CSV table of all heavy atoms in Angstrom, one decimal:
chain,number,residue,atom,x,y,z
A,328,GLY,N,18.8,5.2,-11.1
A,328,GLY,CA,17.7,6.0,-10.6
A,328,GLY,C,16.4,5.3,-10.4
A,328,GLY,O,15.5,5.9,-9.9
A,329,GLY,N,16.4,4.0,-10.7
A,329,GLY,CA,15.1,3.2,-10.5
A,329,GLY,C,14.4,3.0,-11.8
A,329,GLY,O,14.6,3.7,-12.8
A,330,MET,N,13.6,1.9,-11.9
A,330,MET,CA,12.8,1.6,-13.1
A,330,MET,C,11.5,0.9,-12.7
A,330,MET,O,11.4,0.4,-11.6
A,330,MET,CB,13.7,0.8,-14.0
A,330,MET,CG,13.9,-0.6,-13.6
A,330,MET,SD,14.9,-1.6,-14.8
A,330,MET,CE,14.9,-3.2,-14.1
A,331,VAL,N,10.6,0.9,-13.6
A,331,VAL,CA,9.4,0.2,-13.5
A,331,VAL,C,9.3,-0.9,-14.6
A,331,VAL,O,9.5,-0.5,-15.8
A,331,VAL,CB,8.1,1.1,-13.6
A,331,VAL,CG1,6.8,0.4,-13.6
A,331,VAL,CG2,8.1,2.1,-12.4
A,332,THR,N,9.0,-2.1,-14.2
A,332,THR,CA,8.9,-3.2,-15.2
A,332,THR,C,7.5,-3.7,-15.3
A,332,THR,O,6.8,-4.0,-14.3
A,332,THR,CB,9.9,-4.3,-14.8
A,332,THR,OG1,11.2,-3.8,-14.9
A,332,THR,CG2,9.8,-5.5,-15.8
A,333,PHE,N,7.0,-3.9,-16.5
A,333,PHE,CA,5.6,-4.4,-16.8
A,333,PHE,C,5.8,-5.9,-17.3
A,333,PHE,O,6.5,-6.1,-18.2
A,333,PHE,CB,5.0,-3.6,-17.8
A,333,PHE,CG,3.8,-4.2,-18.5
A,333,PHE,CD1,2.5,-4.3,-17.8
A,333,PHE,CD2,3.8,-4.7,-19.8
A,333,PHE,CE1,1.4,-4.8,-18.5
A,333,PHE,CE2,2.7,-5.2,-20.4
A,333,PHE,CZ,1.5,-5.3,-19.8
A,334,VAL,N,5.1,-6.8,-16.6
A,334,VAL,CA,5.1,-8.2,-17.0
A,334,VAL,C,3.7,-8.7,-17.1
A,334,VAL,O,3.0,-8.8,-16.1
A,334,VAL,CB,5.8,-9.1,-16.0
A,334,VAL,CG1,5.9,-10.6,-16.5
A,334,VAL,CG2,7.2,-8.6,-15.7
A,335,PRO,N,3.2,-8.8,-18.4
A,335,PRO,CA,1.8,-9.1,-18.6
A,335,PRO,C,1.4,-10.5,-18.1
A,335,PRO,O,2.2,-11.5,-18.1
A,335,PRO,CB,1.6,-9.0,-20.1
A,335,PRO,CG,2.9,-9.2,-20.7
A,335,PRO,CD,3.9,-8.7,-19.7
A,336,GLY,N,0.2,-10.7,-17.6
A,336,GLY,CA,-0.3,-12.0,-17.2
A,336,GLY,C,-1.0,-12.7,-18.4
A,336,GLY,O,-1.2,-12.1,-19.5
A,337,SER,N,-1.3,-14.0,-18.2
A,337,SER,CA,-1.9,-14.8,-19.2
A,337,SER,C,-2.4,-16.1,-18.6
A,337,SER,O,-2.2,-16.3,-17.4
A,337,SER,CB,-0.9,-15.2,-20.3
A,337,SER,OG,0.0,-16.2,-19.9
A,338,ALA,N,-3.1,-16.9,-19.3
A,338,ALA,CA,-3.6,-18.2,-18.8
A,338,ALA,C,-2.5,-19.0,-18.2
A,338,ALA,O,-2.8,-19.9,-17.4
A,338,ALA,CB,-4.5,-18.9,-19.8
A,339,ARG,N,-1.3,-18.8,-18.7
A,339,ARG,CA,-0.2,-19.6,-18.3
A,339,ARG,C,0.7,-18.8,-17.3
A,339,ARG,O,1.8,-19.3,-17.0
A,339,ARG,CB,0.7,-20.0,-19.5
A,339,ARG,CG,0.0,-21.0,-20.4
A,339,ARG,CD,0.9,-21.4,-21.6
A,339,ARG,NE,0.2,-22.3,-22.4
A,339,ARG,CZ,0.8,-22.9,-23.5
A,339,ARG,NH1,2.0,-22.7,-23.8
A,339,ARG,NH2,0.1,-23.8,-24.3
A,340,GLY,N,0.2,-17.7,-16.8
A,340,GLY,CA,1.0,-16.9,-15.9
A,340,GLY,C,1.7,-15.8,-16.5
A,340,GLY,O,1.4,-15.4,-17.7
A,341,PRO,N,2.7,-15.2,-15.9
A,341,PRO,CA,3.5,-14.1,-16.5
A,341,PRO,C,4.1,-14.4,-17.8
A,341,PRO,O,4.7,-15.5,-18.0
A,341,PRO,CB,4.5,-13.8,-15.4
A,341,PRO,CG,4.0,-14.4,-14.1
A,341,PRO,CD,3.2,-15.6,-14.5
A,342,VAL,N,4.0,-13.5,-18.8
A,342,VAL,CA,4.6,-13.7,-20.1
A,342,VAL,C,5.9,-12.9,-20.1
A,342,VAL,O,6.0,-11.7,-20.4
A,342,VAL,CB,3.7,-13.2,-21.2
A,342,VAL,CG1,4.3,-13.4,-22.6
A,342,VAL,CG2,2.3,-13.8,-21.1
A,343,LEU,N,7.0,-13.6,-19.8
A,343,LEU,CA,8.3,-12.9,-19.7
A,343,LEU,C,8.8,-12.3,-21.0
A,343,LEU,O,9.5,-11.3,-21.0
A,343,LEU,CB,9.3,-13.9,-19.2
A,343,LEU,CG,9.0,-14.5,-17.8
A,343,LEU,CD1,10.1,-15.5,-17.4
A,343,LEU,CD2,8.9,-13.4,-16.8
A,344,ALA,N,8.4,-12.9,-22.1
A,344,ALA,CA,8.8,-12.4,-23.4
A,344,ALA,C,8.3,-11.0,-23.7
A,344,ALA,O,8.9,-10.3,-24.6
A,344,ALA,CB,8.4,-13.4,-24.5
A,345,ARG,N,7.2,-10.6,-23.0
A,345,ARG,CA,6.7,-9.3,-23.3
A,345,ARG,C,7.0,-8.3,-22.2
A,345,ARG,O,6.4,-7.2,-22.1
A,345,ARG,CB,5.1,-9.4,-23.3
A,345,ARG,CG,4.6,-10.1,-24.6
A,345,ARG,CD,3.1,-10.1,-24.6
A,345,ARG,NE,2.5,-8.8,-24.5
A,345,ARG,CZ,1.3,-8.6,-24.0
A,345,ARG,NH1,0.5,-9.6,-23.7
A,345,ARG,NH2,0.8,-7.3,-23.9
A,346,THR,N,8.0,-8.6,-21.4
A,346,THR,CA,8.5,-7.7,-20.3
A,346,THR,C,9.0,-6.4,-20.9
A,346,THR,O,9.7,-6.4,-21.9
A,346,THR,CB,9.6,-8.4,-19.5
A,346,THR,OG1,9.1,-9.5,-18.8
A,346,THR,CG2,10.2,-7.4,-18.5
A,347,ARG,N,8.6,-5.3,-20.3
A,347,ARG,CA,9.0,-4.0,-20.8
A,347,ARG,C,9.4,-3.2,-19.5
A,347,ARG,O,8.7,-3.2,-18.5
A,347,ARG,CB,7.9,-3.2,-21.6
A,347,ARG,CG,7.5,-3.9,-22.8
A,347,ARG,CD,6.3,-3.3,-23.5
A,347,ARG,NE,6.5,-1.8,-23.7
A,347,ARG,CZ,5.9,-0.8,-23.2
A,347,ARG,NH1,4.9,-1.1,-22.3
A,347,ARG,NH2,6.1,0.4,-23.5
A,348,SER,N,10.5,-2.4,-19.6
A,348,SER,CA,10.9,-1.6,-18.5
A,348,SER,C,11.0,-0.1,-18.9
A,348,SER,O,11.4,0.2,-20.0
A,348,SER,CB,12.3,-2.1,-18.0
A,348,SER,OG,12.2,-3.4,-17.4
A,349,LEU,N,10.7,0.7,-18.0
A,349,LEU,CA,10.7,2.2,-18.2
A,349,LEU,C,11.5,2.8,-17.1
A,349,LEU,O,11.4,2.4,-15.9
A,349,LEU,CB,9.3,2.8,-18.2
A,349,LEU,CG,8.4,2.3,-19.3
A,349,LEU,CD1,6.9,2.8,-19.0
A,349,LEU,CD2,8.8,2.8,-20.7
A,350,ASP,N,12.3,3.8,-17.4
A,350,ASP,CA,12.9,4.7,-16.4
A,350,ASP,C,12.8,6.1,-16.8
A,350,ASP,O,12.1,6.4,-17.8
A,350,ASP,CB,14.4,4.2,-16.2
A,350,ASP,CG,15.3,4.5,-17.3
A,350,ASP,OD1,14.8,5.0,-18.4
A,350,ASP,OD2,16.5,4.3,-17.2
A,351,GLN,N,13.5,7.0,-16.2
A,351,GLN,CA,13.3,8.4,-16.5
A,351,GLN,C,14.1,8.8,-17.7
A,351,GLN,O,14.1,10.0,-18.1
A,351,GLN,CB,13.6,9.3,-15.3
A,351,GLN,CG,12.6,9.2,-14.2
A,351,GLN,CD,12.8,10.2,-13.1
A,351,GLN,OE1,13.6,10.0,-12.2
A,351,GLN,NE2,12.0,11.3,-13.1
A,352,ASP,N,14.8,7.9,-18.3
A,352,ASP,CA,15.4,8.2,-19.6
A,352,ASP,C,14.7,7.6,-20.8
A,352,ASP,O,15.1,7.7,-21.9
A,352,ASP,CB,16.9,7.7,-19.7
A,352,ASP,CG,17.9,8.6,-18.9
A,352,ASP,OD1,17.5,9.8,-18.7
A,352,ASP,OD2,19.0,8.1,-18.6
A,353,SER,N,13.5,6.9,-20.5
A,353,SER,CA,12.7,6.3,-21.5
A,353,SER,C,11.9,7.4,-22.2
A,353,SER,O,11.6,8.5,-21.6
A,353,SER,CB,11.7,5.3,-20.9
A,353,SER,OG,12.4,4.2,-20.3
A,354,PRO,N,11.6,7.3,-23.5
A,354,PRO,CA,10.9,8.3,-24.3
A,354,PRO,C,9.6,8.7,-23.6
A,354,PRO,O,8.8,7.9,-23.2
A,354,PRO,CB,10.6,7.6,-25.6
A,354,PRO,CG,11.7,6.6,-25.8
A,354,PRO,CD,12.0,6.1,-24.4
A,355,GLY,N,9.4,10.0,-23.4
A,355,GLY,CA,8.2,10.6,-22.9
A,355,GLY,C,8.1,10.6,-21.4
A,355,GLY,O,7.3,11.4,-20.8
A,356,VAL,N,9.0,9.9,-20.7
A,356,VAL,CA,8.9,9.9,-19.2
A,356,VAL,C,9.6,11.2,-18.7
A,356,VAL,O,10.7,11.4,-19.0
A,356,VAL,CB,9.6,8.6,-18.6
A,356,VAL,CG1,9.6,8.7,-17.1
A,356,VAL,CG2,8.9,7.4,-19.1
A,357,PRO,N,8.9,12.0,-17.9
A,357,PRO,CA,9.5,13.2,-17.4
A,357,PRO,C,10.7,13.0,-16.5
A,357,PRO,O,10.8,12.0,-15.8
A,357,PRO,CB,8.3,13.8,-16.6
A,357,PRO,CG,7.1,13.2,-17.1
A,357,PRO,CD,7.5,11.8,-17.4
A,358,GLY,N,11.6,13.9,-16.6
A,358,GLY,CA,12.8,13.8,-15.8
A,358,GLY,C,14.0,13.2,-16.4
A,358,GLY,O,14.0,12.8,-17.6
A,359,THR,N,15.0,13.0,-15.7
A,359,THR,CA,16.3,12.4,-16.1
A,359,THR,C,16.7,11.4,-15.1
A,359,THR,O,16.6,11.6,-13.9
A,359,THR,CB,17.4,13.4,-16.3
A,359,THR,OG1,17.0,14.4,-17.2
A,359,THR,CG2,18.7,12.8,-16.7
A,360,ALA,N,17.1,10.2,-15.6
A,360,ALA,CA,17.5,9.1,-14.7
A,360,ALA,C,18.8,9.5,-13.9
A,360,ALA,O,19.8,9.8,-14.6
A,360,ALA,CB,17.7,7.8,-15.4
A,361,GLU,N,18.7,9.6,-12.6
A,361,GLU,CA,19.9,10.0,-11.8
A,361,GLU,C,20.0,9.1,-10.6
A,361,GLU,O,19.0,8.6,-10.1
A,361,GLU,CB,19.7,11.5,-11.3
A,361,GLU,CG,19.6,12.5,-12.4
A,361,GLU,CD,19.1,13.8,-11.9
A,361,GLU,OE1,18.1,13.9,-11.2
A,361,GLU,OE2,19.7,14.8,-12.3
A,362,TRP,N,21.2,8.8,-10.2
A,362,TRP,CA,21.4,7.9,-9.1
A,362,TRP,C,20.7,8.4,-7.8
A,362,TRP,O,20.7,9.6,-7.5
A,362,TRP,CB,22.9,7.8,-8.8
A,362,TRP,CG,23.7,7.1,-9.9
A,362,TRP,CD1,24.5,7.8,-10.7
A,362,TRP,CD2,23.6,5.8,-10.3
A,362,TRP,NE1,25.0,6.9,-11.6
A,362,TRP,CE2,24.5,5.6,-11.4
A,362,TRP,CE3,22.9,4.7,-9.8
A,362,TRP,CZ2,24.7,4.4,-12.0
A,362,TRP,CZ3,23.1,3.5,-10.5
A,362,TRP,CH2,24.0,3.3,-11.6
A,363,GLY,N,19.9,7.5,-7.2
A,363,GLY,CA,19.3,7.9,-6.0
A,363,GLY,C,17.9,8.5,-6.1
A,363,GLY,O,17.3,8.9,-5.1
A,364,ASP,N,17.3,8.6,-7.3
A,364,ASP,CA,16.0,9.1,-7.5
A,364,ASP,C,14.9,8.3,-6.9
A,364,ASP,O,13.9,8.8,-6.5
A,364,ASP,CB,15.7,9.3,-9.0
A,364,ASP,CG,16.3,10.5,-9.6
A,364,ASP,OD1,16.8,11.3,-8.9
A,364,ASP,OD2,16.3,10.6,-10.9
A,365,ALA,N,15.1,7.0,-6.8
A,365,ALA,CA,14.1,6.0,-6.2
A,365,ALA,C,12.8,6.0,-7.1
A,365,ALA,O,11.7,5.8,-6.6
A,365,ALA,CB,13.8,6.4,-4.8
A,366,PHE,N,13.0,6.2,-8.4
A,366,PHE,CA,11.9,6.0,-9.3
A,366,PHE,C,11.4,4.5,-9.2
A,366,PHE,O,12.2,3.6,-9.4
A,366,PHE,CB,12.4,6.3,-10.8
A,366,PHE,CG,11.3,6.2,-11.8
A,366,PHE,CD1,10.4,7.2,-12.1
A,366,PHE,CD2,11.2,5.0,-12.6
A,366,PHE,CE1,9.5,7.1,-13.1
A,366,PHE,CE2,10.3,4.9,-13.6
A,366,PHE,CZ,9.4,5.9,-13.9
A,367,GLY,N,10.1,4.3,-8.9
A,367,GLY,CA,9.6,3.0,-8.8
A,367,GLY,C,9.1,2.7,-7.4
A,367,GLY,O,8.5,1.6,-7.1
A,368,ARG,N,9.2,3.7,-6.5
A,368,ARG,CA,8.6,3.5,-5.1
A,368,ARG,C,7.1,4.0,-5.1
A,368,ARG,O,6.7,4.7,-6.0
A,368,ARG,CB,9.4,4.3,-4.1
A,368,ARG,CG,9.1,3.8,-2.7
A,368,ARG,CD,10.2,4.4,-1.7
A,368,ARG,NE,11.5,3.9,-2.0
A,368,ARG,CZ,12.6,4.3,-1.5
A,368,ARG,NH1,12.6,5.3,-0.7
A,368,ARG,NH2,13.8,3.8,-1.8
A,369,GLY,N,6.4,3.5,-4.2
A,369,GLY,CA,5.0,4.0,-4.0
A,369,GLY,C,4.1,3.8,-5.3
A,369,GLY,O,3.4,4.7,-5.7
A,370,LEU,N,4.1,2.6,-5.8
A,370,LEU,CA,3.3,2.3,-7.0
A,370,LEU,C,1.8,2.2,-6.7
A,370,LEU,O,1.4,1.8,-5.6
A,370,LEU,CB,3.7,1.0,-7.7
A,370,LEU,CG,5.2,0.9,-8.2
A,370,LEU,CD1,5.4,-0.6,-8.6
A,370,LEU,CD2,5.4,1.8,-9.3
A,371,SER,N,1.0,2.6,-7.7
A,371,SER,CA,-0.4,2.4,-7.6
A,371,SER,C,-1.0,2.3,-9.0
A,371,SER,O,-0.3,2.8,-10.0
A,371,SER,CB,-1.2,3.5,-6.9
A,371,SER,OG,-2.5,3.2,-6.7
A,372,VAL,N,-2.1,1.6,-9.2
A,372,VAL,CA,-2.7,1.4,-10.5
A,372,VAL,C,-4.2,1.9,-10.5
A,372,VAL,O,-4.9,1.6,-9.6
A,372,VAL,CB,-2.7,-0.1,-10.8
A,372,VAL,CG1,-3.5,-0.4,-12.1
A,372,VAL,CG2,-1.3,-0.6,-11.0
A,373,GLY,N,-4.6,2.7,-11.5
A,373,GLY,CA,-5.9,3.2,-11.6
A,373,GLY,C,-6.1,4.0,-12.9
A,373,GLY,O,-5.2,4.5,-13.4
A,374,ASP,N,-7.3,4.1,-13.4
A,374,ASP,CA,-7.7,4.7,-14.6
A,374,ASP,C,-7.9,6.2,-14.4
A,374,ASP,O,-9.0,6.6,-13.9
A,374,ASP,CB,-8.9,4.1,-15.2
A,374,ASP,CG,-9.3,4.7,-16.6
A,374,ASP,OD1,-8.6,5.6,-17.1
A,374,ASP,OD2,-10.4,4.4,-17.1
A,375,THR,N,-6.9,7.0,-14.7
A,375,THR,CA,-7.0,8.5,-14.3
A,375,THR,C,-7.8,9.3,-15.4
A,375,THR,O,-8.2,10.4,-15.1
A,375,THR,CB,-5.6,9.1,-14.2
A,375,THR,OG1,-4.9,9.0,-15.5
A,375,THR,CG2,-4.8,8.3,-13.2
A,376,ASP,N,-8.0,8.8,-16.6
A,376,ASP,CA,-8.6,9.6,-17.6
A,376,ASP,C,-9.9,9.0,-18.2
A,376,ASP,O,-10.4,9.5,-19.1
A,376,ASP,CB,-7.6,9.8,-18.8
A,376,ASP,CG,-7.0,8.6,-19.3
A,376,ASP,OD1,-7.5,7.5,-19.0
A,376,ASP,OD2,-6.0,8.6,-20.1
A,377,GLY,N,-10.3,7.9,-17.6
A,377,GLY,CA,-11.6,7.3,-18.0
A,377,GLY,C,-11.5,6.6,-19.4
A,377,GLY,O,-12.6,6.3,-19.9
Side-chain angles (χ1 to χ4, degrees):
M330 70 180 187
V331 171
T332 298
F333 165 76
V334 185
S337 74
R339 297 184 178 182
V342 184
L343 300 179
R345 289 181 55 202
T346 294
R347 298 173 57 244
S348 296
L349 297 168
D350 69 357
Q351 287 188 283
D352 283 343
S353 298
V356 178
T359 300
E361 300 167 312
W362 296 108
D364 280 350
F366 180 84
R368 197 168 296 170
L370 298 175
S371 187
V372 174
D374 179 9
T375 65
D376 53 11

